Each structure stands twice: as structure tokens, then as C-alpha cells.
Amino acid sequence: MSQIIVTSRYLKRGKRGKTKRLNFTKYIAIRETVEKRPQNIRKTTDNQKQLVSELIKEFPMAKKYLEYTDYISKPTSENASELISTIIERHADVIGNRRNFVGYMAMRPGAERRGEHGLFNDSNAPIDLNAVAKEVSEHPGYVWTHVVSLRREDAVRLGYTNSDKWRALVKRHIEDIAKAQSIPLANMKWYAAFHDTTHHPHIHLLVYSKDPRQGYLTNEGIERIRSVFANDIFHDDLQSIYQAQTLTRDELKALSENNLKEIVAKLGSEEIDDRLVISIQKLYEQLQATKGKKVYGYLPKDVKQTVDDIFLLLAQDKNVQELYDKWCEFESAKYRTYTQKEKKFPSLTENKEFQSVRSMIIRTVMKMNSAKAVSAEPEFIEIPDDVHTEEIVRPKETVIITDPVVKERAPKRKQAQKYINSNDERQDISKGIRILTDLAEDGDDQSAYKLGKIYLNGDIVYKDYNKAEKYLKQASDDNGYAMYALTQLYLSDERKNLSEAVRLLEKACSYDGVRPFAAYTYAKILLDDNEFHDNKKAIQLLKENADSNSWCSYLLGKLYLLGNNEAEIDKTEAIKWLSMSAESENQYAQELLTHSDSNNSEVLVNTVVSMLTNLGRIIEEDNRRSRKNISRVDRKLLQTIHRKKRELGIKSDSLELEYNR
């Protein structure tokens, strides 16, 4: 795995350090012999072990160096020498002083010389090493040093084996470095030197501002510096990784769909584990007898154990195992880009990332719905167009329009609708939208409502949730239909806001034309296990609107048929309300009536199917969230990898950053 190390820190001023550091300085004097030692597999000497121990104790951040990883994995004399030299080199300013450090950068063995020394910057003019060393040592502000290191095999493969290549890299990104350190580019000063060491070729980069008051370096700034170098050096490698991630995402999506189809195909078959059916029945009975919150953390120990047993059985399903294996593959690849260590994952049931599965199991068992009814049961019912009136008012209110401006709006709205709805050559959607937009911006709430619905549904224009929210909010002050439509937006994933949805639904229920539809959606929220749960209020709403909306009578009948933690099963009431709904041609009600005499095992099997499907979705959703939480790569790389769509990238995944400040 390709890796890059970027070490970022500032150089301290002052006298030499402790006696131990003086001893380190003596070691520098003999380092040339150590560096020139041919490769061998001799074991580390006692002196080397002691010196490594002292250095690590003094500079613990060295444990993140590539050289330390090499030393731990293969403790040879050569690797010990490499580690010792690297620690001393990267802390030469602590051991000595700024002036000596600049000279060390330019003159140390292994530094590629560009004339008399190895120092370079963005200018082609000769560099006076003594003058630079003096300037850096006497600079009253902070001077930062970055060490950018590669493995030898990567440096050779990518051509970073000479100072010209590194100089071009730094020049390409000096503006990024300046921004990362909050230094105006006009005041930015930098010098660098390339050290072609045996195992880890690297550059030292000095950065400071002409104005000593300017500049600072945060963790975000360090990340930005590392990212721009990494994305440039490993451009091709990153592209391959992104392509692999895209493939993994597509595979997961396809696998999840196939998983769903396979599980649905097994309904009622002997492939459903009998132990799952028995455990679900047991949990259902336990939850019915349990008082208080039906949340995993509040459940008695024996009930928790049943939930855990169900999770364990679900995890043994071969499709779920395959999904989790894919998740682990993706996470492992992502983890390896930050470190060479292999990431070991626990079993699915022990993975803290999937603690929500237990809550899903409890919710699913509490509902115990028929899978056929649940699979397509709507959360939100669209109000038919023929229910709408031209002017929407409260019940029994009479409004006489006298304002001439308001009177003129109705014909314009009708004209706009003709442009939008006509099926002949008169259709001109864009013109209709323009008319409605002008009216809405002029304060016409009816036009604002129509526009909001158009942008929300996306049937004749591209969906635009920002515009939908804007216009529906404008229209919702005294328009029940606009309130209800805005509720649809707040119940969607794009603008999830349950509190606002509940507020609007309560208000919309006071409008006759909207009430039966708002009551159904509101009741579903009240029946769900959330902060607004209110079984009694939900039943009252459903009964009051059952004769006006077949979905209300359907939901009420289903509640009595299957029961929940507060409502007992009542077969007589269930058939009564479901029959009322079925008479209004509600196919879902008819489906439940048809299966109302089926034995309880079918409901249990359907519950198993629902759990397996939900578990697969949880794994896939976690993978999607994982990708979204990774920082964006630079725009050029994004455009190359994901043209025509916006895609979240990885946090410079194939690279490692270790920093000290």
C-alpha cells in the first residue's frame, strides 16, 4: 500500500537541550558510517537497542514513522540505524539550533546537491546557504518545518528520486501551503532540500513569513498540506482506489437488492430458521408484558437476552453474512490507507457500529405487521386534485374578495395552468412556471403553493427542495394544503424535521379538505415509537376520519388486528374497520381481511423477512455514511473520478499523516 509521511512542527529557539541531547549530537558525527553500512540482516546491537529506547522515550511521536514500523517488524542492525538517523534528523533543531539545522538540511550525507549544497526554493537564482541559515536563525517569528517522506519503492515507481521532481511538486502547491498556514502568498518564504536516503527518500521544507506576526498551523492546516501532496503524488493510485470504492458501493447496492429478492422468495419456505420464529414469538410476548419504555437499554435482562439471540440468528443468514463481509472489506481497505496495520473487525453482533440493529428488532416485533401490507404501505397520502378548491378557506367561512389586485391573480393562475397542463402545442411549461413565479413573488400564496408542489414532486421540472420549502412556507400561513405538502417535505430524508411536521399536521387537521389525509399521517407518527407517541390520540384521530379516508379505517383495522403494546387485539373491531376500508376499494385492507384468519406463523415469518431486509439496509446505509464522513479530495481528482455527479471522497485514504506541533 502506497504511503506518504508528512511531519509538521515548528522550530524552537533557545539554548541547547539536555545532556542526553548532547550525546545525540555526538552520534550525528558518526552517522555517515552508519548510513553507508551495506544492507545486512544482523540483529540489533545492545547499544542500538538502548539508544532506540532513549530516543523513543524522548520523542514518542517517532513511533509513527515508517522507519519505526520497519524496525519493529524486522529489528535488524540496518533498520535500527535508519530509525536512529531519522529521529535525530527530524529533531536536529532541538539537538542543535536553527542555523545548524538549515546547514544540516543542505549538507548532510544523502542530500542531493544543487551546486555547493542541496537547498532550493522557487527561484532559479543561486542560494547563499550562510545567508539563509542566518536569516532563519534570527527570524523573530515562527519557522515551520515539514518532512515529506516516501517509501523507496514508491519513490522509484513514481519518479520522486531527484530534487527537480520534488521542487516541481512544492512549486505546484506552495499557494496551498500558504493558505494552510494563513500566510499571504506575497510574504511566503520557503526552502527545501531532498535527502535520497536508503529506505525513505524525503524532503525537508522550511516555511515562514516575512512578517513575523503572520502565520499559524492548526491540525486542519497540517491535513491540508498533507492532502495536496498526497493527492498529487498518488494521483493514479487514488483514482484506482476511488474506482474500487465505487465498485464496492455498486456491488453492495446490487447485493442488497438481490438479498431482498432472495429473502422475499423464501416466504413461508422451510429455509426460514425455526429458531428465529420461536424467538420472535417469545420476544413479542415479553414486550407485551413489559412496562415502561420499549428501548433496549431499559429492558429487563431476560428480554435483552432474547433480543441478542434474535440478532445472532439474523447474523447467521448467508445473505447478511455476505453483506457484512463486504462492509468489512471496504472498512479494511479504508483503514489500511491510514496505517500499515491490518484492521480486525468483531462479529456483526459485537460490532458497535451496528448497535441500532437491536432497536430495529424491537420496533419490528412491536409492529408484527404482515410483510405484504408493510412493503408498500404509504407513509404519506397525496390529496387527489379534485379535492382542491380554487380558494382554500376554513370550514363555514365565507370570503368576499374585493381587492382588484387579488381578483386579477386568478385568471393568471389559470393561464399558467394551461401552459403547464395542456397536451397540445400550447404547452409551455417554462412560461407557466414564470407566470406562477411572478405571482408568488408578488405575494400570491395560491401561486406559491402550486410552485411548491411542482418543485416538491418533480414531475414537470427537476426537484428543487430549497424552492419547494420556500414557496410552501410562503403559502402555509393559512393554507391547509400547503401545510400538508410542507409536512411531506419534512418527513422526507432531504429535510427531516419530525417536530415541525407534527406542528403542521396538528394545524392542518383544522382544515376540512385536508383533515382526513393529515389525520392518517399524524396517526402513523403517533403510533410509532418516538417522542410523539400517543396511542389514544392516534385511535381518536383515525375513528374521527375513518369514513372520510379509507386509509384511516385501514390503519385502525390493522391496529386492532395485530395489536401493539397499548392496544389489544380485537378481531371483531379489526374486521369492522377493514371492511369499511375495503368497501372504498382499499386493496391493503382487502389483503388483511383475506389473511385475517391465517395462523400466527405467517405473521411471524413475515416479521423475520422484514428484519432480514432491514438489517441488510442498515449495513448498506452504514457503508454509505462511512463514505460521506471522509473528507473531499481536491476538485480536479473529483472531476476525473466522478464526472457528472457530486461524490464524497476519502480523507486522503491511501496516505498517512503524523504530526507534531
XYZ file of all heavy atoms in Angstrom, residues 372-408:
293
model
N -46.541 -8.219 3.378
C -47.146 -7.761 2.125
C -47.771 -6.384 2.297
O -47.732 -5.555 1.405
C -48.199 -8.764 1.658
C -47.603 -10.083 1.178
C -48.670 -11.003 0.648
C -48.073 -12.319 0.153
N -49.090 -13.245 -0.339
N -48.392 -6.166 3.464
C -49.004 -4.857 3.708
C -47.951 -3.799 3.974
O -48.042 -2.683 3.499
C -49.966 -4.945 4.879
N -46.906 -4.169 4.723
C -45.890 -3.203 5.108
C -45.012 -2.800 3.938
O -44.540 -1.686 3.855
C -45.021 -3.794 6.245
C -43.837 -2.879 6.520
C -45.856 -3.950 7.496
N -44.795 -3.690 2.992
C -43.834 -3.453 1.918
C -44.146 -2.209 1.111
O -43.257 -1.593 0.564
C -43.772 -4.668 0.986
O -45.038 -4.879 0.382
N -45.433 -1.839 0.982
C -45.770 -0.682 0.158
C -46.732 0.269 0.860
O -47.235 1.194 0.247
C -46.371 -1.143 -1.169
N -46.997 0.029 2.120
C -47.930 0.885 2.841
C -47.390 2.305 2.895
O -46.279 2.529 3.364
C -48.119 0.350 4.261
C -49.069 1.193 5.086
C -49.151 0.658 6.503
O -49.396 -0.559 6.648
O -48.949 1.450 7.441
N -48.157 3.279 2.388
C -47.620 4.646 2.286
C -47.540 5.354 3.633
O -48.370 5.141 4.515
C -48.631 5.343 1.365
C -49.908 4.599 1.587
C -49.518 3.167 1.841
N -46.503 6.152 3.790
C -46.381 7.000 4.967
C -47.156 8.296 4.776
O -47.569 8.929 5.740
C -44.900 7.326 5.219
C -44.037 6.134 5.550
C -44.346 5.567 6.921
O -44.706 6.359 7.818
O -44.234 4.345 7.091
N -47.332 8.663 3.516
C -47.933 9.959 3.192
C -48.882 9.758 2.017
O -48.517 9.152 1.011
C -46.829 10.949 2.825
C -47.306 12.366 2.629
C -47.293 13.260 3.684
C -47.770 12.796 1.396
C -47.723 14.566 3.511
C -48.207 14.096 1.215
C -48.185 14.988 2.284
N -50.109 10.234 2.145
C -51.122 10.069 1.098
C -51.295 11.376 0.339
O -51.580 12.431 0.943
C -52.479 9.644 1.691
C -52.313 8.418 2.575
C -53.485 9.380 0.569
C -51.792 7.209 1.870
N -51.089 11.320 -0.971
C -51.306 12.510 -1.796
C -52.795 12.843 -1.843
O -53.645 11.954 -1.989
C -50.801 12.272 -3.218
C -49.291 12.304 -3.350
C -48.751 13.726 -3.370
O -49.574 14.667 -3.405
O -47.523 13.885 -3.353
N -53.121 14.110 -1.721
C -54.514 14.544 -1.819
C -54.895 14.619 -3.295
O -54.214 15.289 -4.081
C -54.710 15.918 -1.151
C -54.297 15.850 0.325
C -56.159 16.374 -1.278
C -54.399 17.174 1.051
N -55.980 13.935 -3.719
C -56.381 13.983 -5.141
C -56.647 15.406 -5.599
O -57.107 16.254 -4.824
C -57.666 13.142 -5.164
C -57.577 12.270 -3.946
C -56.861 13.086 -2.918
N -56.362 15.664 -6.874
C -56.530 17.016 -7.413
C -57.968 17.510 -7.319
O -58.220 18.709 -7.130
C -56.068 17.060 -8.875
C -54.558 16.906 -8.985
O -53.869 17.213 -7.990
O -54.085 16.475 -10.050
N -58.934 16.577 -7.451
C -60.326 17.032 -7.461
C -60.817 17.459 -6.084
O -61.910 17.976 -5.930
C -61.246 15.939 -8.024
C -61.119 14.628 -7.246
O -60.421 14.612 -6.214
O -61.718 13.624 -7.687
N -60.001 17.226 -5.050
C -60.365 17.673 -3.701
C -60.068 19.156 -3.536
O -60.720 19.857 -2.777
C -59.611 16.844 -2.636
C -59.876 17.395 -1.237
C -60.033 15.388 -2.717
N -59.077 19.655 -4.269
C -58.660 21.053 -4.133
C -59.736 21.999 -4.642
O -60.444 21.719 -5.603
C -57.383 21.304 -4.944
C -56.198 20.579 -4.401
N -55.236 21.182 -3.666
C -55.854 19.269 -4.479
C -54.332 20.295 -3.319
N -54.688 19.123 -3.809
N -59.860 23.130 -3.977
C -60.724 24.210 -4.458
C -59.844 25.375 -4.871
O -58.689 25.456 -4.475
C -61.694 24.672 -3.353
O -60.940 25.083 -2.223
C -62.632 23.540 -2.958
N -60.399 26.285 -5.638
C -59.587 27.399 -6.139
C -59.124 28.292 -5.003
O -57.985 28.699 -4.936
C -60.402 28.216 -7.151
C -59.646 29.421 -7.719
C -58.372 29.008 -8.428
O -58.309 27.873 -8.948
O -57.422 29.811 -8.461
N -60.004 28.607 -4.100
C -59.632 29.400 -2.931
C -59.883 28.543 -1.696
O -60.994 28.035 -1.504
C -60.448 30.699 -2.850
C -60.228 31.625 -4.026
C -58.807 32.127 -4.099
O -58.115 32.129 -3.070
O -58.390 32.528 -5.194
N -58.878 28.347 -0.873
C -58.973 27.447 0.270
C -59.243 28.257 1.531
O -58.471 29.152 1.884
C -57.678 26.640 0.417
C -57.419 25.882 -0.877
C -57.753 25.673 1.585
C -56.034 25.347 -0.985
N -60.338 27.949 2.199
C -60.702 28.684 3.408
C -61.077 27.692 4.494
O -61.275 26.515 4.252
C -61.879 29.648 3.145
C -61.494 30.705 2.144
C -63.102 28.875 2.665
N -61.197 28.193 5.709
C -61.607 27.346 6.815
C -63.088 26.964 6.656
O -63.847 27.649 5.971
C -61.406 28.077 8.151
C -59.953 28.205 8.541
C -59.847 28.905 9.889
N -58.457 29.021 10.277
C -57.773 28.064 10.902
N -58.362 26.925 11.188
N -56.523 28.235 11.235
N -63.537 25.858 7.294
C -64.941 25.439 7.187
C -65.906 26.541 7.614
O -65.657 27.260 8.588
C -65.012 24.252 8.151
C -63.609 23.782 8.299
C -62.750 24.987 8.138
N -66.980 26.638 6.866
C -68.080 27.546 7.176
C -67.691 29.017 7.104
O -68.425 29.888 7.561
C -68.659 27.232 8.563
C -69.215 25.823 8.674
C -69.777 25.566 10.061
C -70.297 24.135 10.173
N -70.842 23.848 11.520
N -66.533 29.313 6.550
C -66.134 30.712 6.391
C -66.496 31.187 4.993
O -66.433 30.428 4.026
C -64.632 30.888 6.617
C -64.228 30.814 8.070
C -62.772 31.151 8.254
O -62.101 31.433 7.250
O -62.298 31.129 9.403
N -66.895 32.403 4.891
C -67.198 32.987 3.591
C -66.251 34.148 3.364
O -66.160 35.050 4.198
C -68.648 33.487 3.524
O -69.523 32.403 3.796
C -68.952 34.048 2.136
N -65.559 34.131 2.234
C -64.604 35.189 1.939
C -65.051 35.929 0.681
O -65.266 35.311 -0.363
C -63.189 34.618 1.735
C -62.239 35.740 1.335
C -62.714 33.938 3.007
N -65.230 37.208 0.796
C -65.606 38.025 -0.356
C -64.380 38.815 -0.785
O -63.842 39.619 -0.023
C -66.752 38.993 0.005
C -67.979 38.190 0.469
C -67.087 39.878 -1.189
C -69.118 39.054 0.959
N -63.919 38.554 -1.998
C -62.706 39.201 -2.488
C -63.064 40.530 -3.134
O -63.834 40.596 -4.091
C -61.993 38.299 -3.509
C -61.638 36.976 -2.830
C -60.755 38.977 -4.066
C -61.052 35.969 -3.789
N -62.532 41.608 -2.592
C -62.795 42.952 -3.123
C -61.540 43.606 -3.670
O -61.627 44.554 -4.448
C -63.385 43.852 -2.022
O -62.473 43.900 -0.929
C -64.727 43.291 -1.530
N -60.373 43.119 -3.269
C -59.110 43.705 -3.721
C -58.922 43.417 -5.209
O -58.858 42.250 -5.627
C -57.954 43.099 -2.926
C -56.638 43.824 -3.196
O -56.512 44.449 -4.261
O -55.744 43.735 -2.331
N -58.849 44.470 -6.060
C -58.711 44.248 -7.515
C -57.429 43.509 -7.884
O -57.393 42.768 -8.866
C -58.716 45.672 -8.094
C -58.329 46.557 -6.941
C -58.884 45.905 -5.723
N -56.359 43.734 -7.110
C -55.104 43.036 -7.397
C -55.274 41.543 -7.205
O -54.821 40.723 -8.007
C -53.973 43.571 -6.488
C -52.693 42.767 -6.715
C -53.733 45.045 -6.753
N -55.947 41.163 -6.104
C -56.190 39.750 -5.821
C -57.086 39.144 -6.893
O -56.897 37.998 -7.313
C -56.814 39.581 -4.424
C -57.158 38.118 -4.163
C -55.861 40.107 -3.355
N -58.103 39.894 -7.344
C -59.012 39.404 -8.379
C -58.282 39.091 -9.679
O -58.635 38.163 -10.401
C -60.107 40.446 -8.651
C -61.193 40.487 -7.593
C -62.283 41.472 -8.010
C -63.433 41.453 -7.019
N -64.515 42.384 -7.425
N -57.275 39.893 -10.011
C -56.552 39.702 -11.274
C -55.675 38.453 -11.251
O -55.265 37.955 -12.295
C -55.672 40.924 -11.551
C -56.465 42.174 -11.893
C -55.560 43.378 -12.105
O -54.320 43.197 -11.989
O -56.062 44.474 -12.378
